[in-house]
Amino acid sequence: ATLFYNSDSSSPNAMRWAHAVRNEEEENMRVPVRMAYELRKAIHEQRQLFGDKKLETSQENKLLGSVDSYMSGYYGIRKFLTTPFPFPLVQMARTFLFFYVYTVPFALLSDPSIAIVHCIEIFVLTYGFMGLETVSIELDNPFGDDDNDFDNLGMAYTAFEDNYVMISDIDGPEYTDKLRAKMFCKKECDNISTEQTWLLK
């Protein structure tokens, strides 16, 4: 069961409770919330599943605290991504930047130095200021697929491998192989992540 979607994504009632058509970014941001819900539900259900071998209350609280920490990190990232930067500030900063860079040569007209010195000065100033502007644009969103973005998938794989070791010790290699095969899907991974994502099935 899902909160917003039926199991059949092609159903005309798939957006039954949605207030509007959601774009890809909104769909992606909904997945961690749903995953946290599934994790909390699984932690609570272990009481019925394991009977006398159920976790102690302190262990259960520790697992729930880990889920809370995960969600705190996620909400921090989402706040960073969704908080709009004041556009007038960016507009004015870039306007003055380009105005300064393009008017510097006129300020050097009264300088008695030779032309090659003027060219070097203008090149260094232009390279420095435009380079800083480019860096600020790249730092505005460090999450993505660019070469200089954070390797989120690589860090996730490292966390997966840590879980494989623990699951192998507890449940054996068979379940570890099943989990690894599920985490390294083929076709499903290329689709948009929604509440029907392969991770939640």
Side-chain angles (χ1 to χ4, degrees):
T2 58
L3 293 177
F4 291 93
Y5 294 88
N6 296 332
S7 58
D8 182 8
S9 59
S10 62
S11 170
N13 296 323
M15 297 290 292
R16 177 178 176 182
W17 292 291
H19 292 281
V21 178
R22 301 302 174 189
N23 58 32
E24 180 177 348
E25 183 179 359
E26 290 172 325
E27 292 295 330
N28 289 335
M29 288 186 175
R30 183 176 286 151
V31 174
V33 179
R34 182 66 182 179
M35 290 183 68
Y37 165 75
E38 296 289 349
L39 288 171
R40 291 189 179 104
K41 186 171 70 171
I43 293 171
H44 287 295
E45 287 179 349
Q46 58 87 25
R47 300 176 183 177
Q48 290 78 30
L49 293 175
F50 299 126
D52 296 336
K53 295 182 180 180
K54 66 181 181 180
L55 296 175
E56 298 292 336
T57 303
S58 59
Q59 295 173 316
E60 185 175 319
N61 289 335
K62 189 170 184 179
L63 288 175
L64 292 172
S66 298
V67 177
D68 292 339
S69 298
Y70 159 76
M71 289 306 297
S72 296
Y74 164 69
Y75 284 127
I77 294 174
R78 190 169 77 169
K79 180 171 63 175
F80 175 82
L81 289 174
T82 57
T83 302
F85 196 79
F87 178 74
L89 179 61
V90 177
Q91 186 181 38
M92 293 301 297
R94 290 184 182 174
T95 300
F96 276 99
L97 171 65
F98 287 114
F99 178 78
Y100 176 78
V101 168
Y102 287 120
T103 56
V104 163
F106 298 103
L108 298 176
L109 290 176
S110 60
D111 189 352
S113 301
I114 59 177
I116 187 65
V117 175
H118 291 172
C119 292
I120 294 174
E121 291 176 349
I122 294 172
F123 171 79
V124 171
L125 288 172
T126 304
Y127 180 81
F129 281 104
M130 298 305 292
L132 289 175
E133 177 64 15
T134 304
V135 171
S136 68
I137 294 173
E138 291 294 333
L139 292 177
D140 185 55
N141 185 8
F143 307 105
D145 299 328
D146 296 336
D147 294 334
N148 55 345
D149 288 335
F150 292 135
D151 186 15
N152 296 322
L153 188 58
M155 292 185 283
Y157 285 161
T158 302
F160 292 163
E161 292 165 2
D162 294 337
N163 291 328
Y164 298 155
V165 174
M166 292 183 286
I167 292 175
S168 177
D169 291 339
I170 297 172
D171 297 321
E174 178 184 356
Y175 289 95
T176 306
D177 292 337
K178 288 182 179 180
L179 177 63
R180 190 180 187 282
K182 189 175 182 68
M183 300 310 293
F184 283 86
C185 66
K186 296 294 184 181
K187 296 180 181 179
E188 292 88 345
C189 295
D190 297 329
N191 298 332
I192 177 176
S193 296
T194 67
E195 287 186 316
Q196 290 295 321
T197 179
W198 54 276
L199 285 173
L200 302 178
K201 294 180 181 179

